[in-house]
Structure formats: C-alpha cells, structure tokens
Amino acid sequence: MKELQTLLKELPYVYRLINDNNPIITQITADSREVKAGALFCCVKGYTVDGHDFAKEAYAQGAVALLVEREVLDVPIVQIKVNDVFRVLSFLANALYSYPTNDMHMIGITGTNGKTSVTYILEEIFKQNQARTALIGTIQMKIGEKSYPIKNTTPEPSYLFNSFRAMKEAGVDHCMMEVSSHALEEGRIRGIDIDIAVFTNLTQDHLDYHPTMTDYRLAKERLFQQLGNRYDPQYPKYAIINGDDPYADYFIRATSQPVVTYGLTKTSDLYASDIKLSATKTQFTLAGMVSDVTITSRLIGRFNVYNMLAAAATALKSGVPMSDIKAALESIPGVKGRFQSVQTTRDYSVIVDYAHTPDSLKNVLETVQTFTKGKIYCVVGCGGDRDKTKRPLMAHVGETYSDMTILTSDNPRTEEPEAIIKDMEQGLETTDYVIEVDRKQAIHRAIDLAGPDDVILIAGKGHETYQIIGRETYPFDDYQVAHDYLEQRLGD
C-alpha cells in the first residue's frame, strides 16, 4: 500500500487532480466487481462497456480514488484525469506493487500453437532444477503448486502486477507467461520486464480481431521489440525462435537481443534429429548447442518435438544443466487437453486435443496417422463470433487427414450452430461426413462408430470445462463426456 501522492510522484505522465486528496491506496483494479476498501478504480473504456459508468458502484464498494479520462460527477473522491487510462494503469499498478518483475526471471511465450505446452514443459524442467516456478496461461495461473482461475490467456495489467507481487513474495525464481496477440495489441504487458521471449509458430488464427495475417504477425513481433535495445551482460535477454517457421526472419529482425533458433535441421542452434514417433513415445537426438543427447518422451508427435526444443533452448539460456532438462523431458506425462488420451479398456483409442486452428488440427491428425492401424474419426467444430475464414479450412483438414469427419458445435456463442457448420461445409469436397450439432451426441456418435484399432480425435476444446451457447456458459468437458460414455458402454 502507498499514499496516493507518493504513488503519483513516480508517475511520468501528465495528469490533473480533481477533488485533491491523499488516501492510502491498497489495490488497483479495472473491475468494479473486484473493488475493495482502499482501491484505486481505473475507468477503462472497453469495446462494449465504459468503466466511467461503474465509478459510482466502485465508490460504494470502497474505492478511494479514480483514474479517469473525464471527470465523473457526483463521486466525491480524488480523481486522476489522464489522456489514456489503460496506459497509465499499467504504470501505477507496477509502481504500487514495487515493480515485481524487475528482479524476477520472466519468460514470455507467443505464437499460434504450443504456448501452453511450452509453459508446462518449462515448469517441469525448472522444478527438476529445484527452482520455484509460476505460470500464467490459457488453462490457469499457478504459483508453486497453488492454482488460480484465469479469465484471459494474458490478463489485464492490474491483475498481472498483483499476481507478480504474490509470486515475488512466494520466492518464485522463474515465471512463464503465455502472451497472446490480443494482449500485445492492447498493451496488457506494458512494464513487464521480460528476460526471454519465445516464438513457437505463426498460422492463421484470430482474423476476427486482426484485419490481416500481417497485422497478426506485427502484434506478435511486439514481444520481441519490447525486449529493448540495451544489452546488459549481467542480466542478458534472449529471443528463442522457431527457425523452421516461415515467419522466423520477421521475429529475428524484430529484436536487438541475442537470438537462439531451434528446429529440425542443423541450420538451427538447437535441433532435433533421428526422430522416431510411435503411439506411446517420441524419441529424438538433441544436438547443436549441446553434445548429442537422446531424449525419449511420453509427449507424442512431431509438434511436441518443437515444443520440447523451445523449452530446452529457453532452459539452457536460463542456466539449467542438460542433465536436468533431459530428466524433465523424459518424465513429463503430458498436458491436460493436449493430445490427452482418454483411458479405456476398449480396443480403440480416444484422444482429446485443443487443436482449434487448421495448422494445429493438421499437426495432430498427421501424428495420429503415424500409429493408427484402423480408421480415424475426427470430431470438430468452430467457435462462434470468431474468425469465419478458418471454418472451411478446419473442415477441409478434417476431411483430408481422417476417414470420417463429424462436424459439431464448439462454443457457438451468439451464432446459430447450424450456420457455423454450414460455413465449415464449404471446405468439404465429398459427402462422406456426419453433422451432429449437439457436441455430446457427436462424441457419442464417434464412439459408437469406432471399431478395433480405430482412433477418435475430439478436437477444439481440449482443457476447457465449459461450452458457451448464446451468452450463457454451461459445464462441458470433452474428456469427461468421452470417459463417461466409454464407462457406460462397458456394460453394453
């Protein structure tokens, strides 16, 4: 906590005080529902709501100051008027919580696919190295072994800096954070002192938000630009980049910091060779930056080789010895909702994966093809109120790389599920597919159709435990739905 005047002395922005006062600030938030006594409430203007409209509610709940872009009448507390509330919010939250990332090792991971897997692989590597970890990402926030729910892949600044303070108090050594293109575009990570930026890959996604792929790429590049121009030998920063990705050169040019590339050829600094894939394990030789070392992992598929390479390169530049990296890569059981096998005694396999882009679905289905002796059934849908251009592409990938595609709902949100599926159908070239709008019934249908040696891939939602229909959120877990129906079928 700090006195407001003390906090404002650190503020480099131009501001004007209304109802001048000097309360003790104990919290900064942009969510009126989270306001507690002593809060500085930030009136952020969003896409659908304006925080200024919730100022009175925040005051009634105990806010003692407002950060505003226009004066809020009839709220008799001090107001700090600035030109850009969201930008100033980042600075004030950072200052209130004593700049928590300045002396904590921060790793930011961006890319279309693989961000979550890389964060969890890194967590296991650092634990193997006896370090204390935290992570922020799509599934949850973790500080040590404690987990917390999270609203966005990369939350807003007041939540972030409060969380970083808690991490610092818990003695965290390394924090891994997924950084979305939305967060970079909106400036949600301003002020975070990133030490290592990781680029996984770039394929089509979020074109409902970004006008073009170029805009999408430029948003991602900001993470690497924000590593800064200064090189400090005592506190070095690095860019870890997938050298095999077609966009790699853009990201290399975006940073002034030392670059480490990874990939599947000797042209990368850290590379994998002699890759052997099976239904139960992945084996490869890690080489380049280190003496050749064989890795045998339970993470399945070529795409997971890339994820392990990204994590290994990051860990090496974080000072972790290769022995700990090898031990961790060989002990990781997997990540929830990422190529997760549903346990069954049946003579066919069921896999749940978060694949929700054409490229990620292709990668997963290609991996399934490497070990499937029978047929492949692909249950897939597309989200509503999101990029419509990828809908036919998703269906086309399903048709191309599986024997039977079952089109269903994902999170339809405010769109009609049937209309989303109709968009998907435009990418199909045959009539050899099934439509089942109800996702639960679609999963059941695939299980009913499967025979010996077949594989069912349930794609798109992965770790999610909900389905958004209209403006309502309902409990729904692909893994649980499949597991429960398989248990039910045992009695058949």
Side-chain angles (χ1 to χ4, degrees):
M1 64 178 66
K2 291 184 180 180
E3 289 184 346
L4 179 61
Q5 295 297 341
T6 301
L7 195 58
L8 292 178
K9 285 179 181 177
E10 300 181 53
L11 184 63
Y13 296 94
V14 174
Y15 64 89
R16 181 169 68 87
L17 288 178
I18 302 166
N19 304 328
D20 194 358
N21 204 342
N22 191 29
I24 299 293
I25 304 298
T26 60
Q27 174 202 31
I28 292 180
T29 183
D31 188 340
S32 60
R33 297 164 297 183
E34 300 294 327
V35 168
K36 296 173 183 168
L40 167 58
F41 176 64
C42 302
C43 301
V44 175
K45 290 193 292 186
Y47 293 106
T48 57
V49 296
D50 185 343
H52 294 79
D53 297 333
F54 297 89
K56 289 182 181 179
E57 179 184 327
Y59 169 60
Q61 291 180 209
V64 294
L66 302 176
L67 185 65
V68 300
E69 290 176 14
R70 66 172 188 272
E71 182 178 356
V72 180
L73 301 175
D74 303 324
V75 180
I77 53 177
V78 60
Q79 300 180 32
I80 307 107
K81 185 175 181 296
V82 297
N83 289 329
D84 186 338
V85 164
F86 197 74
R87 183 178 287 270
V88 175
L89 157 61
S90 293
F91 190 93
L92 288 176
N94 205 354
L96 179 66
Y97 302 125
S98 301
Y99 309 99
T101 65
N102 286 13
D103 51 5
M104 184 165 60
H105 193 241
M106 295 293 304
I107 299 167
I109 302 157
T110 199
T112 306
N113 306 311
K115 297 186 295 297
T116 299
S117 293
V118 174
T119 61
Y120 280 87
I121 295 169
L122 279 169
E123 181 187 35
E124 292 302 320
I125 291 173
F126 288 130
K127 283 182 180 178
Q128 185 71 36
N129 191 231
Q130 306 302 311
R132 288 161 289 191
T133 62
L135 60 85
I136 297 175
T138 306
I139 297 177
Q140 62 188 344
M141 178 175 76
K142 285 183 71 178
I143 302 177
E145 295 304 316
K146 292 184 178 180
S147 299
Y148 306 86
I150 205 163
K151 295 178 182 177
N152 298 309
T153 298
T154 315
E156 54 86 15
S158 61
Y159 181 95
L160 281 175
F161 284 108
N162 188 28
S163 301
F164 293 141
R165 178 196 59 174
M167 294 174 193
K168 189 174 178 180
E169 291 174 350
V172 165
D173 299 304
H174 306 277
C175 174
M176 290 72 70
M177 179 172 66
E178 295 182 48
V179 185
S180 69
S181 60
H182 294 65
L184 288 159
E185 184 71 29
E186 295 168 9
R188 287 186 228 155
I189 69 161
R190 288 191 188 110
I192 299 174
D193 187 18
I194 301 288
D195 297 288
I196 298 181
V198 182
F199 168 64
T200 59
N201 49 60
L202 194 74
T203 60
Q204 181 176 332
D205 200 12
H206 302 306
L207 295 189
D208 55 306
Y209 180 85
H210 302 285
T212 66
M213 277 297 291
T214 298
D215 294 295
Y216 182 37
R217 187 201 81 222
L218 289 171
K220 295 283 191 186
E221 284 181 24
R222 291 182 184 183
L223 179 63
F224 298 84
Q225 294 162 354
Q226 290 172 16
L227 287 173
N229 203 50
R230 176 187 176 187
Y231 181 69
D232 185 342
Q234 286 188 305
Y235 303 100
K237 294 176 180 287
Y238 295 97
I240 310 294
I241 292 174
N242 179 353
D244 291 348
D245 191 86
Y247 292 94
D249 284 345
Y250 289 103
F251 289 86
I252 291 170
R253 291 199 298 267
T255 182
S256 297
Q257 301 301 332
V259 172
V260 174
T261 58
Y262 64 90
L264 304 187
T265 68
K266 292 181 179 180
T267 58
S268 291
D269 298 315
L270 184 70
Y271 63 92
S273 61
D274 303 321
I275 300 171
K276 298 179 177 66
L277 305 175
S278 74
T280 58
K281 65 183 180 181
T282 298
Q283 187 177 85
F284 61 95
T285 300
L286 198 60
M289 291 169 61
V290 296
S291 298
D292 291 7
V293 56
T294 300
I295 304 293
T296 303
S297 173
R298 285 181 282 174
L299 299 178
I300 310 301
R302 188 176 298 271
F303 60 93
N304 266 322
V305 175
Y306 277 105
N307 294 335
M308 286 186 274
L309 283 169
T314 302
L316 286 166
K317 285 303 177 182
S318 301
V320 180
M322 190 61 227
S323 57
D324 285 344
I325 295 171
K326 174 180 168 65
L329 295 181
E330 296 192 328
S331 65
I332 298 170
V335 179
K336 179 175 171 56
R338 270 64 176 177
F339 214 84
Q340 183 180 14
S341 179
V342 182
Q343 298 304 308
T344 176
T345 57
R346 294 279 177 171
D347 52 3
Y348 51 82
S349 302
V350 182
I351 296 167
V352 172
D353 193 86
Y354 189 52
H356 63 286
T357 67
D359 184 68
S360 60
L361 183 61
K362 176 176 177 286
N363 287 338
V364 172
L365 283 171
E366 283 184 330
T367 296
V368 172
Q369 285 182 333
T370 63
F371 59 78
T372 302
K373 297 177 181 178
K375 292 182 178 181
I376 300 172
Y377 294 87
C378 178
V379 179
V380 64
C382 288
D385 303 332
R386 297 293 186 269
D387 181 6
K388 292 185 178 183
T389 64
K390 74 178 183 181
R391 292 173 184 174
L393 301 178
M394 290 286 286
H396 179 71
V397 170
E399 178 183 62
T400 303
Y401 294 93
S402 70
D403 298 284
M404 173 64 73
T405 304
I406 301 175
L407 303 182
T408 188
S409 299
D410 190 286
N411 291 319
R413 299 182 178 88
T414 64
E415 290 192 66
E416 289 296 327
E418 293 84 356
I420 297 172
I421 291 172
K422 190 172 183 179
D423 287 343
M424 295 183 72
E425 284 186 277
Q426 301 306 307
L428 298 173
E429 297 178 359
T430 70
T431 58
D432 192 20
Y433 62 93
V434 172
I435 292 176
E436 177 53 71
V437 176
D438 185 292
R439 191 173 181 90
K440 182 176 182 179
Q441 293 305 316
I443 294 170
H444 290 181
R445 182 87 171 263
I447 291 172
D448 289 340
L449 288 170
D453 297 324
D454 291 348
V455 175
I456 300 165
L457 174 68
I458 307 170
K461 291 178 63 60
H463 64 278
E464 292 178 355
T465 56
Y466 59 83
Q467 189 174 27
I468 304 172
I469 302 173
R471 299 192 183 280
E472 299 294 324
T473 300
Y474 302 91
F476 195 96
D477 185 324
D478 281 352
Y479 182 96
Q480 200 61 49
V481 168
H483 177 272
D484 290 349
Y485 193 60
L486 287 165
E487 288 291 304
Q488 177 185 324
R489 287 286 305 272
L490 284 176
D492 295 350

